[in-house]
Amino acid sequence: MDDNDRSIIGFVMIGHMMVHTYELSIPILMTIWLLEFGTSTAVLGIAVAVGYGLFGIGALPGGLLVDRFGSRTLISACLAGMGLSFLVLSIAPNVGSITIALAFWGIAASVYHPAGLTLISNGVTKRGRGFAYHGMAGNVGIAGGPLLTALCLLVFDWRIATAILALPALIGAVAGLAINFDATAGVELTSNTHERQGPSSISEFIEETQRLFTFGFLLIFLIVALNGLYYRGVLTFLPNLLSDFLTTTIGDVRLGVFAPGSPLADEFDLAQYLYAGLLTVGIGGQYLGGRLTDMIEPDQGLSIMLPVLAGIALLFVPAARSGLWGLLIVSFVLGFALFAMQPLTQATIAKYSRPESRGLSFGYTYLAIFGIGALGAAIVGTVLTYTSVSTMFLVLAGFAATGSGLAIWLLRIVESA
């Protein structure tokens, strides 16, 4: 990689890490909100789905803004907005206020993926490696967010903890404006392309959408939506599920670690650290997925990984109930496979889109991943409230299996072309 590649990758690694730090701190905070506000998983799942939904829905207008104003401006605005949203969250007095604060967070965070992935796709010459490092940084945030939140909650009230979490993004927003790079160094653009500023009217937007949505891209849109339902559904309530499995398997470890009546015992939850470990393992999955994009066609990689995710969902409950080692193994395998999908998905989107409309293409697909995918939180919360954990994982397996069928269909279309 050259200096320009390193500058871009460093910039997007910071942005990606911060987005997912906030995103995955929310499930940890949910364990506190369930107790403090006396609400159900169904109600809180819907509340969180609002923020997560806007995280996805905003990706489409975010993609249009990227094509018009560039990635640097959008990423810096994203960081500033997320920091301010968590400051608002720290003073939320009830579930309704939490919903509003998370909605603001979702709007701010929604522009990141179109901006960051467009920058890698068009500015980095070693695209596969760029996606790998970008994904690894995201998992540092994904793992670090829950871990940092859990550690803060050991010492501070949740309101102070969320205010502390707001500070890094505000600092990152300022620092991002000082980084220099060439945002189109990784692609060959025509003079006509350089003049493009993205669609400037509804008719141009419709025409650009029609050019983008080939049948192959439509299949990718559906695949990533199903993967988003799986991703959001499994991660949102996993801390609570892991806590239940650990209690059943080894009992309440706080009794052997803390003195009776210790205030730390009330806040300590071993499941939160297992959850952070699962997400940390995802760093390796991100690296493997990114390297695979340089070795095989990314759409072929999707057809391999989606059946793996379906199998993990079917095996999770039996493995978790078999004992501590079974729970640890299936949790870490889930973390590795879940995040190995992301670089493959991003490279597939880039493969089936044009450089001059990358912002729009990532806008649509992240609308699917995080917008439609946000329904996974509401679906899983409802299934857990009215049925069982086994049924929940069966639903998740159905999402992955359907996506696998579409990925195989996509490969057959490509092979016959």
Side-chain angles (χ1 to χ4, degrees):
M1 294 188 294
D2 57 23
D3 289 342
N4 192 70
D5 281 3
R6 285 188 285 270
S7 294
I8 290 175
I9 291 171
F11 180 45
V12 296
M13 285 176 72
I14 292 171
H16 200 204
M17 180 173 61
M18 294 311 306
V19 167
H20 289 298
T21 292
Y22 294 118
E23 178 200 5
L24 271 298
S25 69
I26 292 170
I28 298 297
L29 292 168
M30 286 174 67
T31 63
I32 305 296
W33 297 334
L34 282 168
L35 297 175
E36 177 152 337
F37 298 113
T39 188
S40 69
T41 56
V43 171
L44 194 57
I46 293 171
V48 171
V50 172
Y52 283 154
L54 290 171
F55 184 25
I57 293 169
L60 180 54
L64 294 171
L65 292 173
V66 170
D67 288 337
R68 178 165 290 274
F69 298 109
S71 293
R72 181 199 304 277
T73 301
L74 271 294
I75 293 174
S76 295
C78 163
L79 290 169
M82 290 192 301
L84 293 173
S85 297
F86 261 61
L87 287 178
V88 173
L89 183 64
S90 70
I91 59 173
N94 50 46
V95 174
S97 300
I98 284 174
T99 304
I100 294 171
L102 292 179
F104 286 135
W105 171 83
I107 292 169
S110 67
V111 302
Y112 173 74
H113 285 92
L117 296 171
T118 295
L119 191 53
I120 295 174
S121 298
N122 290 349
V124 176
T125 56
K126 301 293 184 182
R127 182 185 295 170
R129 191 169 299 177
F131 283 133
Y133 288 130
H134 175 260
M136 291 168 69
N139 266 80
V140 171
I142 286 170
L147 180 59
L148 178 61
T149 304
L151 292 174
C152 285
L153 290 172
L154 286 175
V155 182
F156 302 108
D157 176 79
W158 71 268
R159 297 182 185 280
I160 297 175
T162 52
I164 292 172
L165 289 173
L167 297 178
L170 297 174
I171 296 171
V174 176
L177 297 175
I179 302 174
N180 295 315
F181 49 76
D182 179 357
T184 60
V187 293
E188 294 183 2
L189 301 178
T190 65
S191 59
N192 180 61
T193 298
H194 279 294
E195 295 171 357
R196 288 180 55 84
Q197 295 292 318
S200 58
S201 66
I202 294 177
S203 60
E204 287 185 10
F205 169 73
I206 293 173
E207 290 174 2
E208 190 67 31
T209 296
Q210 290 173 336
R211 284 191 291 266
L212 176 64
F213 268 86
T214 62
F215 187 67
F217 190 84
L218 175 61
L219 289 179
I220 293 167
F221 181 89
L222 296 174
I223 291 168
V224 299
L226 289 162
N227 184 55
L229 289 169
Y230 187 109
Y231 172 90
R232 186 64 67 211
V234 75
L235 289 185
T236 300
F237 291 98
L238 197 56
N240 282 334
L241 296 177
L242 292 175
S243 181
D244 292 341
F245 284 127
L246 281 169
T247 300
T248 301
T249 303
I250 61 177
D252 190 347
V253 298
R254 293 177 295 181
L255 298 177
V257 175
F258 299 101
S262 168
L264 290 177
D266 293 333
E267 300 295 340
F268 181 82
D269 186 352
L270 182 61
Q272 293 179 352
Y273 299 94
L274 175 56
Y275 185 64
L278 176 157
L279 300 173
T280 302
V281 169
I283 296 173
Q286 291 272 16
Y287 182 77
L288 174 63
R291 298 300 289 169
L292 282 175
T293 65
D294 290 330
M295 300 169 59
I296 63 175
E297 292 298 319
D299 41 3
Q300 182 180 359
L302 292 182
S303 69
I304 296 171
M305 291 306 303
L306 283 164
V308 171
L309 288 176
I312 292 170
L314 293 174
L315 294 174
F316 194 96
V317 173
R321 290 175 175 168
S322 69
L324 179 59
W325 281 109
L327 174 61
L328 293 176
I329 290 171
V330 76
S331 296
F332 293 148
V333 170
L334 171 64
F336 192 91
L338 188 64
F339 292 101
M341 276 287 296
Q342 291 188 3
L344 293 167
T345 298
Q346 293 156 4
T348 303
I349 295 166
K351 176 180 176 179
Y352 285 85
S353 61
R354 299 179 303 153
E356 60 268 26
S357 60
R358 286 274 159 74
L360 184 62
S361 66
F362 282 114
Y364 269 116
T365 50
Y366 274 82
L367 167 64
I369 294 170
F370 291 132
I372 297 173
L375 294 173
I379 291 170
V380 166
T382 302
V383 171
L384 283 174
T385 298
Y386 297 107
T387 60
S388 66
V389 175
S390 296
T391 302
M392 184 208 86
F393 277 100
L394 185 62
V395 170
L396 293 175
F399 293 149
T402 304
S404 175
L406 294 176
I408 293 171
W409 189 8
L410 177 63
L411 281 178
R412 288 179 177 175
I413 292 173
V414 172
E415 290 172 356
S416 63

